């Protein structure tokens, strides 16, 4: 079994910062692309940022220059550093990864349970 567990969400004032973490555990052979998505109330889920195993990154236009995605391959963990937070960043943030399972020797797409980020004064 493979699990993704997010942490680091919370309540922050506009202009503040938060760092989200997502740790993968279980029968992991390798992890390919890791991504952060978010779903705001009443809106569709959107891709926030992604990072390849080699460190190439991409970002949604709405977060460029404010958010930074990174990963620690040795720890099977992806991070999202969020600076300059705005009320419109309020959402549940989910991590997502393509993981090869060494038990079944197949690659599956896994999701975490989500962590709430609320930006409000």
């Amino acid at each position: 079994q493979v699990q993704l567990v997010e942490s680091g969400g919370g309540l922050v004032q506009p202009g503040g910062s938060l760092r989200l973490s997502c740790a993968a555990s279980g029968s992991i052979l390798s992890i390919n692309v890791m991504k952060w998505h978010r779903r705001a109330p009443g809106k569709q889920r959107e891709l926030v940022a992604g990072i390849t195993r080699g460190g190439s990154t991409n970002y949604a236009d709405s977060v460029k220059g404010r958010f930074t995605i990174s990963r620690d391959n040795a720890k099977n963990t992806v991070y999202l550093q969020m600076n300059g937070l705005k009320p419109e960043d309020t959402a549940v943030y989910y991590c997502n990864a393509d993981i090869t399972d060494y038990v079944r020797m197949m690659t599956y797409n896994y999701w975490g349970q989500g962590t709430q980020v609320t930006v409000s004064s």
Side-chain angles (χ1 to χ4, degrees):
Q1 282 285 50
V2 173
Q3 280 189 314
L4 295 177
V5 179
E6 300 102 334
S7 61
L11 174 64
V12 64
Q13 292 187 340
S17 298
L18 281 175
R19 188 192 194 207
L20 305 183
S21 300
C22 173
S25 63
S27 53
I28 297 168
L29 179 63
S30 66
I31 303 177
N32 301 316
V33 177
M34 304 185 83
K35 300 176 182 178
W36 286 98
H37 300 253
R38 67 185 180 188
R39 177 172 282 160
K43 295 187 177 181
Q44 289 189 328
R45 187 178 66 205
E46 66 170 337
L47 174 64
V48 175
I51 185 168
T52 66
R53 184 172 180 81
S56 296
T57 60
N58 66 284
Y59 297 92
D61 288 342
S62 59
V63 306
K64 280 181 181 176
R66 299 187 298 123
F67 290 10
T68 302
I69 189 171
S70 61
R71 63 190 284 173
D72 184 331
N73 292 330
K75 295 182 178 179
N76 292 330
T77 300
V78 63
Y79 306 96
L80 186 68
Q81 178 66 44
M82 305 185 294
N83 298 328
L85 283 161
K86 304 175 182 180
E88 52 263 42
D89 294 317
T90 295
V92 178
Y93 285 71
Y94 300 89
C95 71
N96 163 245
D98 292 328
I99 299 175
T100 301
D101 179 336
Y102 65 69
V103 173
R104 292 174 288 184
M105 290 304 291
M106 294 187 68
T107 300
Y108 295 94
N109 187 252
Y110 291 91
W111 288 84
Q113 82 288 351
T115 186
Q116 176 70 47
V117 171
T118 302
V119 185
S120 176
S121 55

